[in-house]
Every structure is written in structure tokens, then in C-alpha cells.
């Protein structure tokens, strides 16, 4: 009886395939329009937020002895997917005579670590990651810059467990 019921259901579905297909296509169109509208709202918020985020990151990096950094976000339209209708790329210039490029193409390991430290500082009030690991955050850094990094890490340790691989005593000494 169970098999008969399932077979009858499948037969009914196959007999009314075109009706079902039309309904599904209409539903798909409606949902695509709604998703596109929501993606456009997300895009607008991203563009607005990117300006504020770039300003805050620039200020953090200036404090971390990278005063000539320029931060930008590149937005590239794409087909609708689960994160909207655009791809966002983080661009940075550590030298004022160069235009911002992808972080992975221009930054050293130490600069990438300081950028991550700046990002985590900006997001520290609402980020739920319990532990952060910084590997050689002190590469190419000494003196006042190292002290600033140590101070920033000490502040971050209020919200996170920090693990740092370091060569500088000032950074190691800031831990507990």
C-alpha cells in the first residue's frame, strides 16, 4: 500500500509536470528578484561600511608604525551567489607612491601580521573568535613600533587569548 501511494504520487507529479514546472519557474523568478534586491541593499551597506572601515584601519595601522598606509576596497560585480552580487577585495598600499594592491602581493609577513592586528583591533568588540595566533608579528620592527605592537596586543588580550611567536622581548614581556 505504501508503494502504491508513492507510485500514485509520482504519476500525478509526472502528469502535471508542465503545470508544476511553470509554478516552479514563477517561484524561482520571484525569489531571484527578491534575492537581487537584497543583494543590492547589502552592496550599498558594504560600500558605506568600507569607507568607515578603511578610515579605522588606517588609523590603527598609523598607530602601529605604518603611517603611510592607504586602505581601499575593490568591488567587482558578479553573478548572484550566497554572499550577494559582488566580490570584495582588500587593497593596501604601504608606500604612498604606489597605488593600493592586493595585500598578498605587496605586504611582508610582518606587515600582514600588523594588518591582522589592526583588523582584530577594529572588530574586537563584536568578534567571537576566542584565540588569535600571531606568527612573527615583529618582522622588520624595532623600537617604538615594537612597543606600540606590544601595547595593542595587550589591549586585545582583554577580549582574546593571544598566542604570539616573537623575537622581541618587548612583545613577549607584554604577555602574562
Amino acid at each position: 500500500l505504501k508503494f502504491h501511494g508513492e507510485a500514485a504520487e509520482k504519476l500525478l507529479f509526472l502528469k502535471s509536470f508542465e503545470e508544476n514546472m511553470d509554478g516552479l519557474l514563477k517561484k524561482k523568478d520571484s525569489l531571484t528578484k527578491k534575492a537581487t534586491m537584497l543583494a543590492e541593499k547589502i552592496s550599498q551597506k558594504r560600500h558605506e561600511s568600507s569607507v568607515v572601515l578603511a578610515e579605522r584601519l588606517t588609523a590603527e595601522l598609523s598607530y602601529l608604525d605604518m603611517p603611510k598606509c592607504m586602505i581601499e576596497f575593490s568591488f567587482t560585480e558578479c553573478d548572484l551567489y550566497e554572499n550577494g552580487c559582488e566580490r570584495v577585495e582588500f587593497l593596501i598600499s604601504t608606500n604612498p607612491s604606489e597605488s593600493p594592491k592586493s595585500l598578498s602581493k605587496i605586504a611582508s609577513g610582518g606587515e600582514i601580521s600588523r594588518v591582522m592586528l589592526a583588523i582584530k583591533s577594529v572588530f574586537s568588540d563584536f568578534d567571537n573568535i576566542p584565540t588569535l595566533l600571531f606568527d612573527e608579528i615583529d618582522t622588520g620592527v624595532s623600537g617604538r613600533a615594537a612597543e606600540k605592537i606590544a601595547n595593542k596586543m595587550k589591549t586585545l588580550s582583554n577580549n582574546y587569548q593571544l598566542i604570539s611567536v616573537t623575537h622581541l622581548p618587548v612583545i613577549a614581556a607584554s604577555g602574562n
Side-chain angles (χ1 to χ4, degrees):
L1 289 175
K2 182 179 175 186
F3 175 78
H4 178 269
E6 289 173 0
E9 219 175 275
K10 284 182 184 178
L11 182 61
L12 181 62
F13 177 78
L14 291 172
K15 284 183 176 178
S16 58
F17 179 78
E18 287 195 22
E19 292 171 15
N20 290 335
M21 185 62 138
D22 288 343
L24 290 173
L25 287 174
K26 287 178 185 175
K27 187 174 182 179
K28 177 189 170 229
D29 289 343
S30 171
L31 291 173
T32 299
K33 285 178 186 175
K34 184 175 180 180
T36 301
M37 193 172 71
L38 291 171
E40 289 170 358
K41 286 182 180 181
I42 290 171
S43 177
Q44 181 182 356
K45 292 289 185 188
R46 278 186 183 138
H47 284 266
E48 292 169 4
S49 299
S50 71
V51 174
V52 175
L53 181 57
E55 288 172 0
R56 290 189 63 191
L57 287 174
T58 301
E60 289 289 337
L61 289 168
S62 181
Y63 174 80
L64 294 170
D65 255 22
M66 294 176 70
K68 297 178 181 177
C69 278
M70 280 192 324
I71 306 277
E72 289 181 10
F73 293 90
S74 169
F75 299 90
T76 307
E77 286 187 34
C78 65
D79 291 335
L80 186 64
Y81 72 116
E82 67 268 13
N83 292 322
C85 58
E86 64 191 349
R87 304 272 182 207
V88 182
E89 186 176 14
F90 180 85
L91 305 175
I92 185 170
S93 170
T94 57
N95 184 341
S97 64
E98 293 180 15
S99 61
K101 295 181 179 77
S102 176
L103 179 65
S104 62
K105 293 180 182 173
I106 65 161
S108 68
E111 289 171 334
I112 290 172
S113 292
R114 284 187 276 170
V115 169
M116 181 55 76
L117 182 57
I119 289 169
K120 288 301 175 183
S121 295
V122 169
F123 288 110
S124 66
D125 291 337
F126 43 90
D127 198 355
N128 288 329
I129 299 171
T131 304
L132 300 177
L133 173 64
F134 292 102
D135 184 13
E136 296 190 28
I137 198 166
D138 54 8
T139 301
V141 175
S142 62
R144 281 190 50 197
E147 288 178 26
K148 289 178 177 183
I149 290 170
N151 290 338
K152 185 59 67 176
M153 290 179 74
K154 185 74 171 173
T155 302
L156 265 183
S157 71
N158 293 329
N159 297 327
Y160 302 97
Q161 173 187 13
L162 296 184
I163 299 171
S164 178
V165 177
T166 182
H167 300 283
L168 295 179
V170 68
I171 291 177
S174 69
N176 59 25

